[in-house]
Amino acid sequence: MAHIVLDQASVELAVYNSRGRALKSEILRRTVGGGLQNDRDSSIQVVKALNEVSFEARDGDRIGLIGGNGAGKTTLLRVLSRVYPPTAGRATVEGRVSSLIDLSMGMDTDATGYDNIEMRGIMLGLDRKQAQAIIPDIEEFSELGEFLSLPIRTYSSGMMLRLAFAVSTAVHPDILILDEIIGVGDAAFAAKAEKRLHSMIEKASIMFLASHDNKTIRRFCTRTLWMKSGRLVMDGTPDEVLSAYGEDISR
Ligand SMILES: Nc1ncnc2c1ncn2[C@@H]1O[C@H](COP(=O)(O)OP(=O)(O)OP(=O)(O)O)[C@@H](O)[C@H]1O
């Protein structure tokens, strides 16, 4: 049903034009986790946010991603979400992907809540009819009532998040991509959101979850990948990988 193969996949991201910026360049070199390097003509500074990463994921895999700030976790999730194509190597992602990393991506602030449900639904891989069919579920879950008929620029940030979360979780994917398990909205809504997320995790064939919290990784994952400076340094069970990572950061 779902299958992922990364073969020596790399992603290089341009940071800025570096000519005459020696101090900034040195500061960046020291602070970014990804390997910072110059391209061939030395005019553009690039970060190798992902560096020759290879692995395979199959049905049933619940994969945790760990690593320090700037290690490449979000970049890897964006490759799996088909937001970034690899700049070298290959990434094959088979199955419908739903990513909760860029929740409001593709939403138009001048359009109404209803129009945004349809647009975002289509972005998540539905056709127009299927996108319209998820509306009753979103009306009920988001509790936004009459606001759904108004442009979303009139929403508070909490209301916006409710809508974005409701739409992104209305479609059951084969591959589910998460960056931390975040609380959404006030306490009552957060409890409802957590329940909906857990059911989504159970139903997905493959799940990826980037987290800095060991407890979360142990609770939801059966396998863990440790990223460092854009490279995959270890792939194993949560216990063995978290223990090696713990030793590495305490050194
Ligand atoms: N849009 C971008 N443009 C340029 N460089 C970027 C961009 N996004 C990320 N990077 C760089 O790529 C590297 C990997 O970043 P990434 O966000 O994937 O790390 P991360 O492991 O998710 O970190 P964190 O735990 O802090 O979220 C970093 O060096 C970062 O500075």
Side-chain angles (χ1 to χ4, degrees), residues 32-73:
V32 293
L36 195 63
Q37 51 192 262
N38 291 325
D39 79 349
R40 270 176 229 102
D41 69 4
S42 293
S43 63
I44 298 168
Q45 199 90 44
V46 294
V47 173
K48 203 150 193 180
L50 215 60
N51 198 344
E52 297 180 358
V53 170
S54 302
F55 67 87
E56 189 171 357
R58 297 177 179 282
D59 283 343
D61 275 340
R62 301 270 173 276
I63 300 178
L65 281 184
I66 62 167
N69 291 129
K73 304 179 295 297

Side-chain angles (χ1 to χ4, degrees), residues 11-16 28 31-36 45-50 65-78 84 179-180 210-212 227-230:
V11 173
E12 289 190 343
L13 298 167
V15 181
Y16 69 104
L28 265 174
T31 52
V32 293
L36 195 63
Q45 199 90 44
V46 294
V47 173
K48 203 150 193 180
L50 215 60
L65 281 184
I66 62 167
N69 291 129
K73 304 179 295 297
T74 309
T75 306
L76 176 56
L77 295 183
R78 292 207 165 108
Y84 289 161
D179 199 352
E180 295 291 356
S211 179
H212 291 286
M227 306 285 304
K228 191 175 182 177
S229 299

